[in-house]
Amino acid sequence: MHLTNPRPTDELQALDAAHHMHPFTTGEDLAQKGARIITRGDGVWLTDSEGNRILDGMSGLWCVNVGYGRARLADAAARQMKELPYYNTFFQTSHVPAIELAAKLATITPDHLNHVFFAGSGSEANDTNIRMVRTYWALKGKPNKKVIISRRNAYHGSTLGGASLGGMGAMHAQGGLPIPDVHHIGQPDWWAEGGDMTPQDFGLARARELETAIAELGEDRVAAFIAEPIQGAGGVIIPPDSYWPEIQRICDAHDILLIADEVICGFGRTGEWFGSQTVGWTPDIMTIAKGLSSGYQPIGGSIVSDEIASVIGGDEFNHGYTYSGHPVAAAVALENLAIIEEEKLVARVRNEIGPYLAVKWTALTDHPLVGEAKIKGLMGSLALTPDKARRAAFTAPAGTVGFICREFSFANNLIMRHVGDRMIIAPPLVISKEDVDTLIERAWKTFDQTHAKLKDEGLL
Ligand SMILES: *Cc1c(COP(=O)(O)O)cnc(C)c1O
């Protein structure tokens, strides 16, 4: 069955520009250029309204883990819509998909994480986490333990709470953020911020900022530390090996809660079910969304420890969303987890396609424009640089070169993103070796074109 495109591309673009406000976009720029309109998806391939076939190196927004075009997920949604399209889980009611999904999640998470509070997205789930950890400490008789420590250049969503936890300066600059009692420490980005230190020393130094922050704020004021096991939107920042063990040591030494934001890293992306398992970190709460349903339905949640659930359960938690545990979204998420299990996608990332991509991705550092290449499972990044030995930044404002590179990539029908002057990928977990080869070929061509243009324009 094909949904036919009812209008020519320019007409769609004009309507889009006239009526549709896009996230993280300068409206006027897009209106001038016209949006690229995606009409279909199949496996790792997208089709646009002009009929171009595009290799999606980003799984949509890091979410389409099982790839596009899965009839099983569509059927699961249709079945559930016919049976019970909606009911809520407030006021002592429940329904089968929410029950089954919560129980299923408890079987794939570490032993002590057995309780799920559902939300409609990752941002909402992190808002839940803010209220949950503060309520937890209040119920334990420590209402002053309210501060949440996060990291600069972290991404935890776009709601007031999520964006406050996040460490994106451009987001804080709009709308009066962050909210009170959120504290940010440095990120473990050795390439950009490590100076003359070795990666290992830098990893330790950045981890120890957590200990310093706890000491300065006072342990009696700190409720929790939140982090992505690998920062995604911040540029796929994979910390030096020294970082996570030191973070774990500090967390163990202090009475604070740990929130692993697994919205990107979860559901096989890093070669384990969860990124915290890959980096060896034991959280009290995990934030989930994205790969939970492979993006086929909007759903997120917080998976919390037995200890937190028992404390929170002692009083009414005055919090919840109309769509918490939405039955259609939950049914689709369940079917998505079944696909990941049946097709052994987590092991595939760890043992087969992850290592295959890693070799080729790392070899891109042979290109004159490419500095470090980092990759874990199926999330990778590269630093573009005019001078590898010095890890130099371009003289043009940060992001200028990354943007040029991304434009060439789009034109080559490869979706890569840029974060500043880092290029990032996170392809669907089902990507074939042949499609990995295509991705690498197109990336190389993209860097050649970028290199030529930088020379032409005197930006090198
Ligand atoms: C995308 C993302 C979020 C926000 O999820 P939404 O579903 O967009 O609200 C939160 N945390 C991380 C790590 C993310 O990548």
Side-chain angles (χ1 to χ4, degrees):
M1 188 194 66
H2 286 246
L3 291 179
T4 45
N5 174 13
R7 303 174 193 266
T9 300
D10 55 357
E11 209 176 306
L12 287 168
Q13 286 171 327
L15 287 171
D16 185 66
H19 302 295
H20 179 198
M21 297 176 81
H22 290 248
F24 292 98
T25 297
T26 306
E28 283 180 11
D29 289 354
L30 186 66
Q32 247 176 28
K33 202 168 124 198
R36 189 164 196 177
I37 295 159
I38 306 299
T39 52
R40 289 183 63 75
D42 183 32
V44 302
W45 292 90
L46 298 167
T47 306
D48 70 13
S49 55
E50 295 291 281
N52 295 301
R53 300 245 306 150
I54 308 159
L55 177 53
D56 185 3
M58 283 304 302
S59 308
L61 284 178
W62 326 79
C63 53
V64 189
N65 287 15
V66 300
Y68 299 92
R70 294 278 191 165
R72 270 177 78 174
L73 298 186
D75 293 344
R79 262 198 315 274
Q80 186 57 45
M81 280 198 190
K82 288 176 193 162
E83 188 147 332
L84 179 70
Y86 176 74
Y87 201 71
N88 68 74
T89 52
F90 289 29
F91 317 130
Q92 308 195 350
T93 58
S94 199
H95 52 68
V96 177
I99 297 167
E100 293 283 356
L101 180 59
K104 178 71 198 174
L105 286 167
T107 68
I108 62 175
T109 51
D111 286 347
H112 64 296
L113 299 174
N114 292 305
H115 308 267
V116 188
F117 194 103
F118 286 113
S121 68
S123 304
E124 286 178 11
N126 277 329
D127 277 25
T128 297
N129 292 339
I130 295 173
R131 302 196 64 208
M132 182 105 73
V133 297
R134 290 176 177 171
T135 304
Y136 169 86
W137 288 115
L139 288 169
K140 301 257 288 183
K142 296 180 175 172
N144 292 331
K145 273 174 91 71
K146 281 197 294 211
V147 177
I148 302 175
I149 300 176
S150 179
R151 302 178 301 174
R152 286 190 282 282
N153 200 36
Y155 188 78
H156 297 299
S158 206
T159 51
L160 292 176
S164 294
L165 293 178
M168 301 282 175
M171 293 178 77
H172 290 178
Q174 296 173 332
L177 299 185
I179 59 171
D181 292 324
V182 177
H183 180 87
H184 294 90
I185 60 175
Q187 61 168 338
D189 179 357
W190 175 77
W191 177 269
E193 300 176 8
D196 293 335
M197 294 174 100
T198 65
Q200 298 315 321
D201 286 350
F202 177 71
L204 284 177
R206 280 291 152 97
R208 285 177 187 153
E209 287 186 21
L210 176 59
E211 194 150 52
T212 307
I214 294 170
E216 282 172 8
L217 293 157
E219 191 173 320
D220 54 343
R221 285 189 56 216
V222 179
F225 172 60
I226 183 169
E228 304 152 82
I230 294 169
Q231 286 155 265
V236 185
I237 308 299
I238 300 177
D241 291 339
S242 56
Y243 182 76
W244 277 109
E246 185 67 0
I247 290 280
Q248 182 70 55
R249 181 194 67 73
I250 294 164
C251 291
D252 288 346
H254 299 278
D255 197 16
I256 64 173
L257 297 173
L258 314 179
I259 308 168
D261 188 334
E262 296 276 3
V263 170
I264 286 175
C265 294
F267 306 102
R269 172 65 53 201
T270 68
E272 298 286 344
W273 272 104
F274 297 97
S276 45
Q277 296 168 319
T278 298
V279 304
W281 184 44
T282 310
D284 301 289
I285 298 179
M286 296 197 311
T287 316
I288 54 170
K290 294 191 174 129
L292 169 59
S293 66
S294 284
Y296 279 65
Q297 284 283 291
I299 182 168
S302 308
I303 310 181
V304 311
S305 67
D306 298 335
E307 153 76 7
I308 295 175
S310 87
V311 171
I312 294 288
D315 195 4
E316 178 167 340
F317 188 34
N318 298 310
H319 178 78
Y321 308 105
T322 300
Y323 300 133
S324 285
H326 191 286
V328 177
V332 169
L334 262 174
E335 194 71 13
N336 174 61
L337 297 181
I339 291 174
I340 294 176
E341 282 190 327
E342 284 168 30
E343 299 183 5
K344 302 188 169 60
L345 294 180
V346 180
R348 179 173 195 268
V349 170
R350 182 175 59 242
N351 300 326
E352 194 186 329
I353 199 69
Y356 184 83
L357 175 60
V359 169
K360 307 217 159 196
W361 186 251
T362 309
L364 289 171
T365 51
D366 292 342
H367 196 281
L369 209 52
V370 178
E372 74 165 2
K374 300 285 264 182
I375 185 159
K376 189 70 92 178
L378 289 189
M379 58 195 294
S381 62
L382 318 154
L384 303 181
T385 175
D387 181 347
K388 301 187 200 205
R390 289 193 308 114
R391 308 207 309 277
F394 294 97
T395 45
T400 310
V401 173
F403 181 78
I404 291 171
C405 187
R406 193 199 70 184
E407 293 289 279
F408 279 121
S409 187
F410 273 29
N412 292 327
N413 289 326
L414 168 65
I415 297 194
M416 274 198 290
R417 246 168 84 174
H418 80 106
V419 178
D421 297 322
R422 281 186 95 81
M423 303 308 297
I424 61 177
I425 56 161
L429 311 190
V430 296
I431 190 170
S432 67
K433 290 183 176 171
E434 196 189 342
D435 288 339
V436 165
D437 294 347
T438 306
L439 184 157
I440 297 293
E441 276 162 31
R442 290 183 185 182
W444 190 276
K445 178 178 172 198
T446 296
F447 300 140
D448 277 348
Q449 292 165 322
T450 306
H451 195 244
K453 176 157 175 153
L454 295 184
K455 276 195 157 157
D456 278 358
E457 299 195 352
L459 290 170
L460 261 186

